[in-house]
Amino acid sequence: MLQRQNGFTLVELLISIAIFGLVVSMVINSKVSQTDQNITSQQAEEMQQCVRCLVFLMAYELRTAGYNPEIASHDTGITNAGANTISFNRVASDDGDDNDNDSTTDESGELETVVYALQDSDGDGDLDVTVSFNGAGAQIIAENIPNLTFTYFDEDGADTADLDEIRSVLVTVQSTVDVNELDRYTRNNTRTLSSMVYLRNLGF
């Protein structure tokens, strides 16, 4: 007489596999979601730090536009006022550099020229903020910057394009995550910061 064998039926085995698969899928989805949140949080912090540091640096430099500690009059101030680029100069007759490349260091009225620009200077597909001094090669100071704008105002707070009337500049910077990460992390992937910079050395 045949005795019944203890074990699982095929239906029970299939149900068990399905439940196990569901549990594993839930665990994996939870882990992926947690990883995405951690990456997004880290990216947000990096973007925020990037725009803060960049705005602080440019504001610091812009305040020196037109600096002239000498009695003599020199051609200092804003020399180019573009939407995405700005250039200015200042007297730098005591910095120990030959800023005008005339083989004389720290001569009276020696000017230093500074240029900030938005461009893909390294050809990697994302825009960068660069700075150059005295016509030298542009140096990248911030990457993954889709937008950098300068807005110019006169002493009455009205928009102006006249270089001689510019007294303040609104600097707006937008930072984003690396171009290779945008396809995956589309949430919360930009940070924007604006700062009004008053050009204290202009208008005298």
Side-chain angles (χ1 to χ4, degrees):
M1 184 177 192
L2 295 175
Q3 295 182 351
R4 187 181 177 199
Q5 300 290 327
N6 292 329
F8 296 104
T9 66
L10 180 59
V11 174
E12 291 173 332
L13 183 60
L14 291 175
I15 292 174
S16 298
I17 292 174
I19 293 174
F20 177 76
L22 181 62
V23 171
V24 171
S25 177
M26 292 173 62
V27 171
I28 292 175
N29 287 337
S30 176
K31 181 63 176 177
V32 170
S33 177
Q34 183 180 18
T35 300
D36 283 354
Q37 290 177 0
N38 290 339
I39 292 175
T40 299
S41 177
Q42 181 179 357
Q43 289 174 339
E45 182 178 350
E46 291 175 352
M47 288 185 291
Q48 191 68 29
Q49 289 178 346
C50 178
V51 294
R52 284 178 177 174
C53 291
L54 186 55
V55 169
F56 175 83
L57 174 62
M58 287 193 292
Y60 176 82
E61 291 280 6
L62 279 168
R63 291 189 185 99
T64 67
Y67 174 72
N68 179 15
E70 301 178 0
I71 298 176
S73 176
H74 301 294
D75 188 19
T76 59
I78 305 293
T79 56
N80 179 41
N84 308 114
T85 183
I86 187 171
S87 63
F88 57 92
N89 56 27
R90 58 205 177 193
V91 171
S93 55
D94 59 354
D95 63 354
D97 295 324
D98 180 16
N99 294 290
D100 52 8
N101 298 312
D102 65 351
S103 301
T104 303
T105 300
D106 289 346
E107 60 191 317
S108 177
E110 184 172 283
L111 300 181
E112 180 179 38
T113 301
V114 183
V115 180
Y116 282 100
L118 180 67
Q119 57 185 321
D120 183 10
S121 60
D122 54 4
D124 62 353
D126 65 82
L127 295 175
D128 315 302
V129 175
T130 62
V131 63
S132 63
F133 297 91
N134 303 317
Q139 307 170 37
I140 296 176
I141 57 174
E143 296 184 288
N144 306 308
I145 306 295
N147 185 38
L148 167 67
T149 58
F150 300 101
T151 309
Y152 307 93
F153 302 92
D154 61 19
E155 60 183 3
D156 297 320
D159 290 6
T160 183
D162 188 329
L163 298 181
D164 293 329
E165 294 182 358
I166 295 174
R167 298 294 178 268
S168 60
V169 181
L170 178 64
V171 181
T172 302
V173 177
Q174 183 183 62
S175 176
T176 187
V177 297
D178 188 87
V179 65
N180 296 316
E181 299 177 1
L182 287 175
D183 290 339
R184 181 177 180 187
Y185 308 113
T186 57
R187 299 166 297 169
N188 198 30
N189 60 5
T190 61
R191 287 291 183 276
T192 303
L193 184 64
S194 296
S195 179
M196 183 68 80
V197 182
Y198 295 94
L199 309 178
R200 56 196 177 195
N201 294 302
L202 301 185
F204 295 105

